[in-house]
Short mmCIF file of all heavy atoms in Angstrom, two decimals:
data_model
loop_
_atom_site.label_atom_id
_atom_site.label_comp_id
_atom_site.label_asym_id
_atom_site.label_seq_id
_atom_site.Cartn_x
_atom_site.Cartn_y
_atom_site.Cartn_z
N HIS A 91 14.22 -17.40 73.78
CA HIS A 91 15.33 -18.34 73.54
C HIS A 91 16.40 -17.70 72.66
O HIS A 91 17.59 -17.92 72.89
CB HIS A 91 14.78 -19.62 72.92
CG HIS A 91 14.02 -20.49 73.84
ND1 HIS A 91 14.62 -21.23 74.84
CD2 HIS A 91 12.68 -20.71 73.97
CE1 HIS A 91 13.69 -21.89 75.53
NE2 HIS A 91 12.51 -21.59 75.02
N ASN A 92 15.99 -16.91 71.68
CA ASN A 92 16.98 -16.24 70.82
C ASN A 92 17.82 -15.26 71.65
O ASN A 92 19.04 -15.18 71.48
CB ASN A 92 16.29 -15.48 69.69
CG ASN A 92 15.63 -16.41 68.69
OD1 ASN A 92 15.95 -17.61 68.63
ND2 ASN A 92 14.70 -15.90 67.90
N ALA A 93 17.16 -14.51 72.54
CA ALA A 93 17.88 -13.56 73.38
C ALA A 93 18.85 -14.27 74.32
O ALA A 93 19.99 -13.84 74.51
CB ALA A 93 16.88 -12.72 74.18
N LEU A 94 18.39 -15.37 74.91
CA LEU A 94 19.24 -16.12 75.83
C LEU A 94 20.45 -16.70 75.09
O LEU A 94 21.57 -16.69 75.62
CB LEU A 94 18.45 -17.24 76.50
CG LEU A 94 19.18 -18.03 77.58
CD1 LEU A 94 19.67 -17.11 78.70
CD2 LEU A 94 18.30 -19.13 78.15
N ASP A 95 20.25 -17.20 73.88
CA ASP A 95 21.37 -17.71 73.09
C ASP A 95 22.41 -16.62 72.85
O ASP A 95 23.62 -16.85 72.98
CB ASP A 95 20.86 -18.26 71.75
CG ASP A 95 20.10 -19.56 71.90
OD1 ASP A 95 20.18 -20.18 72.97
OD2 ASP A 95 19.38 -19.94 70.95
N GLN A 96 21.93 -15.44 72.50
CA GLN A 96 22.87 -14.33 72.28
C GLN A 96 23.64 -14.00 73.57
O GLN A 96 24.84 -13.77 73.55
CB GLN A 96 22.12 -13.09 71.81
CG GLN A 96 21.60 -13.16 70.39
CD GLN A 96 20.99 -11.85 69.94
OE1 GLN A 96 21.50 -10.76 70.24
NE2 GLN A 96 19.88 -11.91 69.23
N ALA A 97 22.91 -13.95 74.69
CA ALA A 97 23.54 -13.58 75.95
C ALA A 97 24.62 -14.58 76.37
O ALA A 97 25.66 -14.18 76.88
CB ALA A 97 22.47 -13.48 77.04
N LEU A 98 24.36 -15.87 76.16
CA LEU A 98 25.29 -16.90 76.60
C LEU A 98 26.41 -17.18 75.60
O LEU A 98 27.51 -17.57 75.97
CB LEU A 98 24.54 -18.20 76.91
CG LEU A 98 23.56 -18.12 78.10
CD1 LEU A 98 22.89 -19.47 78.33
CD2 LEU A 98 24.26 -17.64 79.37
N LEU A 99 26.12 -16.99 74.32
CA LEU A 99 27.09 -17.34 73.29
C LEU A 99 27.89 -16.14 72.77
O LEU A 99 28.87 -16.33 72.05
CB LEU A 99 26.37 -18.01 72.10
CG LEU A 99 25.61 -19.30 72.44
CD1 LEU A 99 24.87 -19.83 71.21
CD2 LEU A 99 26.55 -20.36 73.00
N GLN A 100 27.49 -14.93 73.14
CA GLN A 100 28.22 -13.74 72.70
C GLN A 100 28.58 -12.88 73.92
O GLN A 100 27.94 -11.88 74.22
CB GLN A 100 27.36 -12.93 71.74
CG GLN A 100 26.96 -13.67 70.47
CD GLN A 100 26.16 -12.80 69.51
OE1 GLN A 100 26.51 -11.64 69.25
NE2 GLN A 100 25.07 -13.36 68.99
N PRO A 101 29.62 -13.28 74.65
CA PRO A 101 29.99 -12.59 75.89
C PRO A 101 30.32 -11.11 75.69
O PRO A 101 30.05 -10.29 76.58
CB PRO A 101 31.20 -13.36 76.39
CG PRO A 101 31.70 -14.14 75.21
CD PRO A 101 30.51 -14.44 74.37
N GLU A 102 30.88 -10.75 74.55
CA GLU A 102 31.20 -9.33 74.32
C GLU A 102 29.93 -8.49 74.20
O GLU A 102 29.85 -7.38 74.73
CB GLU A 102 32.05 -9.20 73.05
CG GLU A 102 33.46 -9.79 73.18
CD GLU A 102 34.30 -9.56 71.94
OE1 GLU A 102 33.79 -8.95 70.97
OE2 GLU A 102 35.47 -9.98 71.93
N LEU A 103 28.92 -9.03 73.52
CA LEU A 103 27.66 -8.34 73.40
C LEU A 103 26.97 -8.22 74.75
O LEU A 103 26.43 -7.16 75.12
CB LEU A 103 26.73 -9.07 72.41
CG LEU A 103 25.36 -8.42 72.17
CD1 LEU A 103 25.51 -7.07 71.50
CD2 LEU A 103 24.48 -9.35 71.30
N ARG A 104 27.05 -9.31 75.52
CA ARG A 104 26.46 -9.32 76.87
C ARG A 104 27.10 -8.25 77.74
O ARG A 104 26.41 -7.49 78.45
CB ARG A 104 26.65 -10.70 77.50
CG ARG A 104 26.04 -10.85 78.87
CD ARG A 104 26.20 -12.27 79.38
NE ARG A 104 27.58 -12.58 79.76
CZ ARG A 104 28.28 -13.61 79.30
NH1 ARG A 104 27.74 -14.45 78.44
NH2 ARG A 104 29.51 -13.82 79.71
N ALA A 105 28.41 -8.14 77.69
CA ALA A 105 29.15 -7.14 78.48
C ALA A 105 28.82 -5.72 78.00
O ALA A 105 28.70 -4.80 78.81
CB ALA A 105 30.65 -7.40 78.39
N GLN A 106 28.64 -5.56 76.72
CA GLN A 106 28.30 -4.25 76.13
C GLN A 106 26.94 -3.77 76.66
O GLN A 106 26.80 -2.62 77.07
CB GLN A 106 28.28 -4.34 74.62
CG GLN A 106 27.85 -3.09 73.91
CD GLN A 106 27.70 -3.29 72.41
OE1 GLN A 106 28.47 -4.03 71.79
NE2 GLN A 106 26.71 -2.65 71.80
N PHE A 107 25.95 -4.68 76.66
CA PHE A 107 24.63 -4.32 77.15
C PHE A 107 24.66 -4.00 78.63
O PHE A 107 24.00 -3.05 79.10
CB PHE A 107 23.64 -5.47 76.88
CG PHE A 107 23.22 -5.61 75.46
CD1 PHE A 107 23.76 -4.81 74.45
CD2 PHE A 107 22.28 -6.54 75.09
CE1 PHE A 107 23.37 -4.93 73.13
CE2 PHE A 107 21.87 -6.69 73.77
CZ PHE A 107 22.42 -5.88 72.78
N ALA A 108 25.41 -4.80 79.39
CA ALA A 108 25.50 -4.58 80.85
C ALA A 108 26.13 -3.23 81.15
O ALA A 108 25.67 -2.50 82.05
CB ALA A 108 26.29 -5.72 81.49
N ALA A 109 27.17 -2.87 80.42
CA ALA A 109 27.86 -1.58 80.65
C ALA A 109 26.93 -0.41 80.32
O ALA A 109 26.91 0.60 81.04
CB ALA A 109 29.12 -1.52 79.81
N ALA A 110 26.16 -0.54 79.24
CA ALA A 110 25.23 0.54 78.86
C ALA A 110 24.14 0.69 79.94
O ALA A 110 23.74 1.81 80.27
CB ALA A 110 24.60 0.22 77.50
N GLY A 111 23.68 -0.43 80.48
CA GLY A 111 22.68 -0.38 81.52
C GLY A 111 23.22 0.26 82.78
O GLY A 111 22.53 1.08 83.42
N LYS A 112 24.42 -0.08 83.16
CA LYS A 112 25.02 0.48 84.37
C LYS A 112 25.21 1.99 84.22
O LYS A 112 25.00 2.75 85.19
CB LYS A 112 26.35 -0.19 84.66
CG LYS A 112 26.98 0.27 85.98
CD LYS A 112 28.18 -0.57 86.34
CE LYS A 112 28.74 -0.15 87.69
NZ LYS A 112 29.88 -1.02 88.12
N LYS A 113 25.58 2.44 83.04
CA LYS A 113 25.76 3.88 82.80
C LYS A 113 24.44 4.62 83.01
O LYS A 113 24.41 5.69 83.66
CB LYS A 113 26.27 4.09 81.38
CG LYS A 113 26.55 5.55 81.05
CD LYS A 113 27.12 5.69 79.65
CE LYS A 113 27.39 7.16 79.31
NZ LYS A 113 27.93 7.29 77.92
N LEU A 114 23.35 4.05 82.53
CA LEU A 114 22.03 4.66 82.72
C LEU A 114 21.62 4.66 84.19
O LEU A 114 21.12 5.68 84.69
CB LEU A 114 20.98 3.89 81.88
CG LEU A 114 19.53 4.34 82.07
CD1 LEU A 114 19.34 5.78 81.64
CD2 LEU A 114 18.59 3.42 81.27
N ALA A 115 21.84 3.54 84.87
CA ALA A 115 21.47 3.45 86.28
C ALA A 115 22.20 4.49 87.12
O ALA A 115 21.61 5.14 87.99
CB ALA A 115 21.76 2.04 86.81
N ALA A 116 23.50 4.66 86.87
CA ALA A 116 24.30 5.61 87.64
C ALA A 116 23.90 7.05 87.36
O ALA A 116 23.90 7.90 88.26
CB ALA A 116 25.78 5.40 87.32
#
């Protein structure tokens, strides 16, 4: 629940994590 709150309430952090993940995948 804490992680989900961060993901939904902090869009900049969510985008930062997604970008880091995409860089690793590529």
Side-chain angles (χ1 to χ4, degrees):
H91 288 286
N92 292 342
L94 185 59
D95 288 345
Q96 287 186 40
L98 295 182
L99 300 177
Q100 300 182 46
E102 292 183 0
L103 181 64
R104 182 177 73 233
Q106 176 186 324
F107 285 4
K112 184 171 184 177
K113 183 178 180 181
L114 175 62

